[in-house]
Amino acid sequence: MRLLEERILTDGKVRPGGVLKVDGFLNHQMDMDLFQVLAGQWYQAFQNDGVNKILTIEASGIGLACFAGVAFHCPVLFAKKTKTKNIDGSVYTTRVESFTHGNIYDVIVAKEYLRAEDRVLLIDDFLANGAALDGLCDLVRQAGATLVGAGIAVEKCFQPGGERLRAQGLRIESLARIRSMTDEGGIEFEP
Amino acid sequence: MRLLEERILTDGKVRPGGVLKVDGFLNHQMDMDLFQVLAGQWYQAFQNDGVNKILTIEASGIGLACFAGVAFHCPVLFAKKTKTKNIDGSVYTTRVESFTHGNIYDVIVAKEYLRAEDRVLLIDDFLANGAALDGLCDLVRQAGATLVGAGIAVEKCFQPGGERLRAQGLRIESLARIRSMTDEGGIEFEP
């Protein structure tokens, strides 16, 4: 998707080690106009799939997921990274290993908000190794819900998550697909 | 605000120890229609104050803040709870003690996204002891930006945060103001 690719080229910064910094518009400071356009793209892709729930993971997926929730006019659920006092015992739990943070954590969703009759679209800002998506897929599976697919803003196609998850049958709509990045700051997109 | 109060009475649950569970519509599963109405209320309250940046804190403030960002047509910035690989060194840091989670953590914003010329509206889901708002106020102060006020969804008026922060001169617009809760599940709102 050209708008997002151009924005990445303009405002994104490549850091050594395959890190793409897009915190000026995507995952720290967030551009609401851009988010609305991205959500519209996911709506185009999945509008006929009966999506009735958006599922994301805290924190940087939440903003994008909200705009998807408006587009599909359905509730948005975000998986939480720790068990808080505000959540009762009845939760689905899965384990996620974060590439960005270099750690492992549990994420939970309350069982009452993820039901067997739900048709779930996953939303996240990045797809790289696919650990977050793995976790979200697992939560949907535990609930016995239907996994419609995943809407991703930026996919790093040189990391294995996208290929692996598509091979497992997950439909993924990534709006900017990065083929390669160089430590000198170069970014090449998939055609 | 009646719509939110009624929703709290219908779908909220009171847990012992002054915990109000609203995770069916506010801070786990999120109701986008409701969020749009809440943001509209904050817009009414602060529309003439030149707000050009929304600041919130991860994770449960992000969804509400995004709708405020649409209403005010400005970028939304969320303070992050840990320093990630994706953020460079140049950040403002403050310390927050979480009532909900019972712990203390640092939050950061990148200096380049919070500037002296910004007129900042804070957004969060809850105001109780005011620790999160304290932290956000401190970040705005460090940046030399103008603090316009705070838009809160649910204020627990029987906890000291709101009174203390208003006494410091912060303008706070809370959309549901809870006067008292009982362990039996009763909720009384401020008139």
Side-chain angles (χ1 to χ4, degrees):
Chain A
M1 183 211 180
R2 189 142 173 187
L3 179 72
L4 181 57
E5 290 176 0
E6 286 174 353
R7 188 64 178 270
I8 291 169
L9 291 174
T10 308
D11 293 336
K13 287 158 202 158
V14 179
R15 294 283 177 263
V19 173
L20 176 63
K21 191 174 176 263
V22 286
D23 62 3
F25 57 96
L26 194 65
N27 53 17
H28 181 31
Q29 181 169 259
M30 303 180 288
D31 180 334
M32 302 294 96
D33 292 340
L34 176 67
F35 279 27
Q36 284 181 321
V37 177
L38 301 185
Q41 295 286 307
W42 292 321
Y43 183 71
Q44 274 192 50
F46 294 105
Q47 63 180 306
N48 298 318
D49 296 295
V51 172
N52 72 340
K53 190 146 296 181
I54 306 293
L55 177 64
T56 188
I57 184 167
E58 70 173 39
S60 41
I62 296 175
L64 291 163
C66 282
F67 286 90
V70 171
F72 288 91
H73 201 249
C74 71
V76 176
L77 181 64
F78 66 89
K80 297 191 166 197
K81 282 183 181 169
T82 48
K83 184 169 167 136
T84 78
K85 278 188 203 167
N86 281 358
I87 303 260
D88 295 318
S90 196
V91 298
Y92 299 113
T93 306
T94 193
R95 186 147 286 191
V96 172
E97 182 171 357
S98 166
F99 168 74
T100 313
H101 298 75
N103 59 9
I104 295 176
Y105 49 88
D106 286 328
V107 296
I108 60 168
V109 295
K111 290 181 181 175
E112 62 184 308
Y113 306 129
L114 193 57
R115 315 293 286 247
E117 62 268 28
D118 282 336
R119 297 181 60 81
V120 182
L121 177 64
L122 310 178
I123 296 289
D124 210 359
D125 56 338
F126 266 93
L127 169 55
N129 291 309
L133 270 194
D134 280 335
L136 294 176
C137 290
D138 184 43
L139 293 170
V140 172
R141 211 158 22 226
Q142 288 181 49
T146 302
L147 185 55
V148 168
I152 300 293
V154 183
E155 179 176 348
K156 292 172 170 174
C157 300
F158 56 91
Q159 289 182 250
E163 192 173 341
R164 179 172 49 76
L165 283 158
R166 287 187 181 93
Q168 292 170 16
L170 184 64
R171 183 177 161 206
I172 303 174
E173 295 288 337
S174 301
L175 302 182
R177 291 167 48 83
I178 298 176
R179 173 185 283 176
S180 65
M181 300 192 307
T182 65
D183 283 353
E184 290 72 41
I187 300 174
E188 192 188 3
F189 294 99
E190 296 283 344
Chain B
M1 184 210 178
R2 191 144 172 184
L3 179 74
L4 182 56
E5 290 177 359
E6 286 173 353
R7 189 63 177 272
I8 291 168
L9 292 174
T10 308
D11 293 336
K13 287 157 202 157
V14 179
R15 294 284 178 263
V19 173
L20 175 64
K21 191 173 176 265
V22 286
D23 62 2
F25 58 95
L26 193 66
N27 52 18
H28 180 32
Q29 181 169 258
M30 303 180 289
D31 179 333
M32 301 294 98
D33 292 340
L34 176 67
F35 279 27
Q36 283 182 320
V37 176
L38 301 185
Q41 296 285 307
W42 293 320
Y43 183 72
Q44 274 192 50
F46 293 105
Q47 63 181 306
N48 297 319
D49 296 295
V51 172
N52 72 340
K53 190 145 295 180
I54 306 292
L55 176 65
T56 188
I57 184 167
E58 70 173 39
S60 40
I62 296 174
L64 292 164
C66 282
F67 286 90
V70 171
F72 288 91
H73 201 249
C74 71
V76 176
L77 181 65
F78 66 89
K80 297 192 165 195
K81 282 183 180 167
T82 48
K83 185 170 167 134
T84 78
K85 277 189 204 167
N86 282 358
I87 303 257
D88 295 320
S90 195
V91 297
Y92 299 113
T93 306
T94 194
R95 186 147 284 190
V96 172
E97 182 170 356
S98 167
F99 168 74
T100 313
H101 298 75
N103 59 9
I104 295 176
Y105 49 88
D106 286 328
V107 296
I108 59 168
V109 296
K111 290 181 182 176
E112 62 184 307
Y113 307 129
L114 193 57
R115 314 294 286 248
E117 61 268 29
D118 282 335
R119 297 182 58 83
V120 182
L121 177 64
L122 310 179
I123 295 288
D124 209 359
D125 57 337
F126 268 93
L127 169 56
N129 290 309
L133 270 193
D134 280 335
L136 294 177
C137 289
D138 184 43
L139 293 170
V140 172
R141 209 158 23 224
Q142 288 181 49
T146 302
L147 185 55
V148 168
I152 300 294
V154 183
E155 179 176 347
K156 292 172 168 174
C157 299
F158 55 91
Q159 289 181 250
E163 193 173 340
R164 179 174 48 77
L165 284 158
R166 287 186 181 93
Q168 292 171 16
L170 183 65
R171 183 177 161 206
I172 304 174
E173 294 288 337
S174 301
L175 303 182
R177 292 166 49 84
I178 298 176
R179 173 185 283 177
S180 66
M181 302 192 307
T182 65
D183 283 355
E184 291 70 41
I187 300 173
E188 191 189 2
F189 294 99
E190 296 283 344

